[in-house]
Amino acid sequence: MDCIIVFEDENYSRFYPISLSRPTYSLLSGAKTNLERIKHHFSDFEIFTICRPYLANHSEIPHFDKAILINGSCVFQKKDLGFIKELKNSNPSIAYVKNGIPIAIVLSQEEFRKRLKDSSEDFSKKITEGLKTIEIDILTFSYIWDLIFHNQELIISDFDEYFKDKGLQGNIGDSFIYGKEIFADNNISADTFSVIDSREGPVIIGKGGSIKPFTYLKGPAFIGDECKLVGGKISGSSFGSGCRIGGEVENSIIMGNSNKYHEGFIGHSYIGEWVNLGALATNSDLKNNYSEISVQQNGIITKTKRIKIGCFIGDHSKIGIGVCLNTGVVIGFSCNLFGGGLIMEKEIPSFAWGNDFLRRCFSLENAIKTAKIVLERRNFTFDNKALQLFKYIFDESKMQRKAWLKNGG
């Protein structure tokens, strides 16, 4: 038996804060995650995953003749079918790399067990050491903002590969329709005075969604299952299942079950799951002097080589009414920010409470209590896995939070 093992390499911190609560291969960009794309292209293989221990699903990898290890940061598309075929037929002891980064490694059972045992934080080096390497060209994410800047092209690619031939299944007849590249799944409701415009890129709408009057939805765009668009202007963006979106959203990705129900602007941003943005919450995505934007992730500052970067908000964080977010700001897991005005800090640690001037720790007890209420409102359960995740991130972020609190004193 041969199998696929999708792995998260040691660069997961570059996808902070969204990667705090999920493996990097489970990040949304376009209409799919990289793991979903791998499962599609390797549907004839049994698929397993390797990631950080606190996020692992602990599934046992059985005996196999050959394993194809695939880096979860690489994006498999229809244009890569030639490489996919080559990879399936490859013999063990080969590593496919891009600029020195391992993309796929073919190993025997014995080789895999030995290298996995010997590997540590330097996983990529250990897993490819001594193997024959072949350079390939495939889209690969290196930082969290890469997912934003490739989002529109991936919506186009995913539409062509997964949705183009399915046609309209849901009823969007009450909308004003421009263009023909639209896929709408079952149980869609689109009201009069809403507009769906696919002239500059396809629009994909999942099942059970609704589009209320005075919503302008411009492609490329991906709207997940059970999403509600409640008015405003949406363009070049992807939303996971169960989101509530209003106001203006441009070139952004929002994971599932998050709320941006009211007026306010979000642009060139990546926002996690179970996030709530209060009325008129807005981010800046361009400096007044049009200069390059730097992003600080867990204390590490990186120059993005971009002049348009918005905000990055971890799961379960809450942004109060009227809060303005500085260009490139990073907000951790389960933060509670409020008080209006501009958040000037480049980075807010997980479980932060308040703002730049009023700084407290959002206690673990209160954070869990809030999360339980939020999940129950959507008929979800806050289970033991969620509890352990909250506890782990709270403990791991103590030093960063301590420094933030001290700086505000």
Side-chain angles (χ1 to χ4, degrees):
M1 182 191 79
D2 296 344
C3 69
I4 300 292
I5 301 173
V6 183
F7 69 92
E8 176 187 63
D9 68 21
E10 62 272 23
N11 295 318
Y12 56 83
S13 60
R14 296 178 178 181
F15 301 89
Y16 178 98
I18 311 302
S19 62
L20 278 170
S21 45
R22 61 180 54 77
T24 53
Y25 48 70
S26 295
L27 296 172
L28 175 67
S29 187
K32 302 283 181 180
T33 67
N34 282 348
L35 182 58
E36 288 173 329
R37 295 185 181 97
I38 291 168
K39 287 181 176 180
H40 170 75
H41 286 289
F42 295 89
S43 58
D44 48 340
F45 287 76
E46 195 165 2
I47 295 177
F48 302 90
T49 57
I50 296 176
C51 63
R52 285 158 285 162
Y54 78 94
L55 295 174
N57 57 17
H58 304 294
S59 58
E60 187 73 22
I61 299 176
H63 177 81
F64 55 82
D65 297 318
K66 180 182 77 174
I68 302 173
L69 282 75
I70 296 177
N71 192 326
S73 65
C74 67
V75 186
F76 283 93
Q77 302 172 72
K78 188 164 68 173
K79 66 181 182 180
D80 301 309
L81 289 177
F83 171 56
I84 293 168
K85 182 178 179 181
E86 179 182 345
L87 193 54
K88 289 179 178 180
N89 296 324
S90 293
N91 293 319
S93 303
I94 294 177
Y96 294 88
V97 301
K98 179 180 180 181
N99 300 325
I101 298 172
I103 299 302
I105 306 100
V106 187
L107 296 173
S108 66
Q109 168 102 348
E110 182 180 354
E111 285 179 313
F112 170 71
R113 299 295 182 190
K114 182 180 184 302
R115 290 170 186 272
L116 186 65
K117 181 180 179 181
D118 294 341
S119 66
S120 59
E121 283 297 305
D122 200 6
F123 182 84
S124 296
K125 182 179 178 181
K126 292 287 187 181
I127 209 73
T128 59
E129 198 168 45
L131 298 180
K132 175 186 176 182
T133 60
I134 300 174
E135 190 77 21
I136 63 162
D137 184 21
I138 188 171
L139 176 59
T140 306
F141 298 138
S142 298
Y143 292 93
I144 184 66
W145 46 88
D146 290 341
L147 285 85
I148 299 170
F149 286 96
H150 288 288
N151 189 52
Q152 293 191 46
E153 69 180 75
L154 286 175
I155 294 172
I156 294 169
S157 172
D158 290 341
F159 177 82
D160 183 58
E161 184 165 0
Y162 299 96
F163 302 99
K164 188 173 185 177
D165 297 329
K166 291 185 177 181
L168 288 176
Q169 297 182 31
N171 179 21
I172 56 172
D174 291 334
S175 274
F176 295 102
I177 306 298
Y178 297 95
K180 298 180 179 179
E181 290 197 314
I182 300 172
F183 170 77
D185 213 325
N186 292 314
N187 302 319
I188 299 293
S189 64
D191 292 342
T192 304
F193 302 118
S194 62
V195 176
I196 301 175
D197 185 351
S198 68
R199 289 174 294 184
E200 295 185 19
V203 175
I204 305 163
I205 306 171
K207 63 184 178 182
S210 65
I211 305 176
K212 296 302 181 183
F214 311 113
T215 300
Y216 175 56
L217 176 58
K218 180 183 177 183
F222 168 68
I223 313 301
D225 295 347
E226 307 293 337
C227 280
K228 298 184 185 300
L229 307 184
V230 296
K233 178 184 176 184
I234 297 161
S235 61
S237 297
S238 291
F239 307 140
S241 300
C243 288
R244 309 289 188 264
I245 306 294
E248 183 177 3
V249 183
E250 176 185 73
N251 296 343
S252 294
I253 300 171
I254 302 179
M255 298 290 286
N257 299 301
S258 287
N259 286 340
K260 188 210 168 299
Y261 204 92
H262 303 285
E263 295 298 323
F265 171 75
I266 294 293
H268 293 88
S269 297
Y270 204 119
I271 295 173
E273 195 169 12
W274 301 109
V275 172
N276 189 77
L277 300 171
L280 300 177
T282 291
N283 78 269
S284 165
D285 62 0
L286 179 69
K287 289 185 176 181
N288 285 347
N289 61 5
Y290 291 72
S291 62
E292 178 186 0
I293 297 167
S294 294
V295 171
Q296 181 173 313
Q297 299 166 294
N298 206 9
I300 298 173
I301 298 175
T302 304
K303 293 184 177 181
T304 66
K305 300 180 182 178
R306 305 279 184 177
I307 66 167
K308 279 214 164 188
I309 294 280
C311 61
F312 305 95
I313 304 178
D315 288 3
H316 291 281
S317 284
K318 308 294 184 279
I319 310 299
I321 61 171
V323 171
C324 296
L325 302 175
N326 203 9
T327 317
V329 67
V330 173
I331 297 169
F333 181 94
S334 192
C335 294
N336 191 334
L337 306 181
F338 55 86
L342 177 64
I343 300 294
M344 293 294 295
E345 286 282 336
K346 292 291 290 182
E347 182 177 8
I348 308 295
S350 296
F351 295 93
W353 183 93
N355 49 55
D356 286 349
F357 308 102
L358 175 64
R359 303 189 184 198
R360 301 286 187 273
C361 171
F362 191 20
S363 73
L364 180 61
E365 180 183 359
N366 286 336
I368 290 172
K369 182 179 179 180
T370 300
K372 286 181 177 179
I373 293 171
V374 171
L375 266 68
E376 287 171 1
R377 282 164 56 90
R378 298 282 188 90
N379 297 317
F380 285 81
T381 301
F382 189 92
D383 57 16
N384 186 63
K385 184 177 180 181
L387 176 62
Q388 296 307 314
L389 180 66
F390 269 67
K391 287 181 176 179
Y392 181 87
I393 297 175
F394 185 83
D395 289 340
E396 287 294 305
S397 59
K398 277 183 178 178
M399 294 304 296
Q400 187 188 16
R401 195 162 52 252
K402 184 177 180 180
W404 178 74
L405 290 170
K406 183 179 180 180
N407 291 337

